[in-house]
């Protein structure tokens, strides 16, 4: 019972006020429950979307990792093949250079007169006793230095 303003009995009774307050409480309670339900739905939707995105990211990450491993293995294989090719080329060139050096050494040995070859073979023991040769070389160097200084004066 709602009374119209301007009627002679315009002040509500305490019971009417209590009834109004109770009605307002019930309305507010329903509105709060409705708002809480909407909030819960949004929260659940956000959590579901986050879980979905996480799964998608993990799947994509695993896929990219697998692709990287395949590509890495492929590149490693290519590098090994190229390395083997380069090694073979280097060995071939080294063998060719060695053969050329042997041919040149044989030519030089063939052109060298016999007495020079004999002297060269006799000089081999001097290689084992290097200290006297170093001393002799230093003495010759010292004499050259003294002579060149004396020539400048």
């Amino acid at each position: 019972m709602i009374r119209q303003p301007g009627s002679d009995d315009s002040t509500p009774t305490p019971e009417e006020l209590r009834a109004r307050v109770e009605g307002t409480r019930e309305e507010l309670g329903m509105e709060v429950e409705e708002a809480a339900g909407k909030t819960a739905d949004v929260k659940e939707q956000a959590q579901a979307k986050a879980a979905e995105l996480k799964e998608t990211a993990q799947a994509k990450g695993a896929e990219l990792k697998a692709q990287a491993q395949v590509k890495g293995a492929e590149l490693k294989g290519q590098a090994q093949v190229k390395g083997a090719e380069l090694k073979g080329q280097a060995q071939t060139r080294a063998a060719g250079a060695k053969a050329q050096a042997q041919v040149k050494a044989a030519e030089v040995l063939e052109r060298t007169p016999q007495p020079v070859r004999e002297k060269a073979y006799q000089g081999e023991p001097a290689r084992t006793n290097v200290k006297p040769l170093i001393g002799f070389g230093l003495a010759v160097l010292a004499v050259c230095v003294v002579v060149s200084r004396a020539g400048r004066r």
Side-chain angles (χ1 to χ4, degrees):
M1 275 190 166
I2 300 176
R3 296 192 183 190
Q4 299 292 334
S7 64
D8 57 18
D9 207 11
S10 66
T11 24
T13 64
E15 290 171 12
E16 291 176 340
L17 288 175
R18 284 190 192 105
R20 282 187 197 173
V21 168
E22 190 60 37
T24 305
R25 280 186 187 159
E26 287 180 17
E27 286 179 26
L28 284 175
M30 288 190 286
E31 289 178 12
V32 167
E33 285 180 21
E34 185 178 323
K38 288 180 182 177
T39 304
D41 288 345
V42 171
K43 184 177 179 182
E44 288 174 10
Q45 289 174 359
Q47 288 174 343
K49 186 68 173 178
E52 180 183 331
L53 290 174
K54 181 179 177 183
E55 288 175 16
T56 303
Q58 287 175 339
K60 189 67 173 176
E63 180 183 336
L64 290 174
K65 182 179 177 182
Q67 288 176 354
Q69 287 174 339
V70 167
K71 189 67 172 177
E74 180 181 315
L75 291 174
K76 183 179 178 183
Q78 289 174 354
Q80 288 174 342
V81 168
K82 189 66 173 177
E85 287 176 13
L86 292 175
K87 183 179 178 183
Q89 290 174 359
Q91 288 174 340
T92 302
R93 288 181 182 171
K98 183 179 178 183
Q100 285 179 343
Q102 289 173 342
V103 168
K104 291 290 182 186
E107 288 175 8
V108 169
L109 187 61
E110 189 177 297
R111 290 184 202 157
T112 306
Q114 184 64 28
V116 174
R117 280 190 263 171
E118 289 174 2
K119 289 285 184 181
Y121 290 126
Q122 289 174 358
E124 283 188 35
R127 289 183 193 160
T128 58
N129 198 1
V130 178
K131 289 182 183 178
L133 289 175
I134 293 174
F136 178 73
L138 289 174
V140 169
L141 181 65
V143 168
C144 290
V145 169
V146 170
V147 170
S148 69
R149 285 190 178 186
R152 287 189 211 165
R153 290 184 194 182

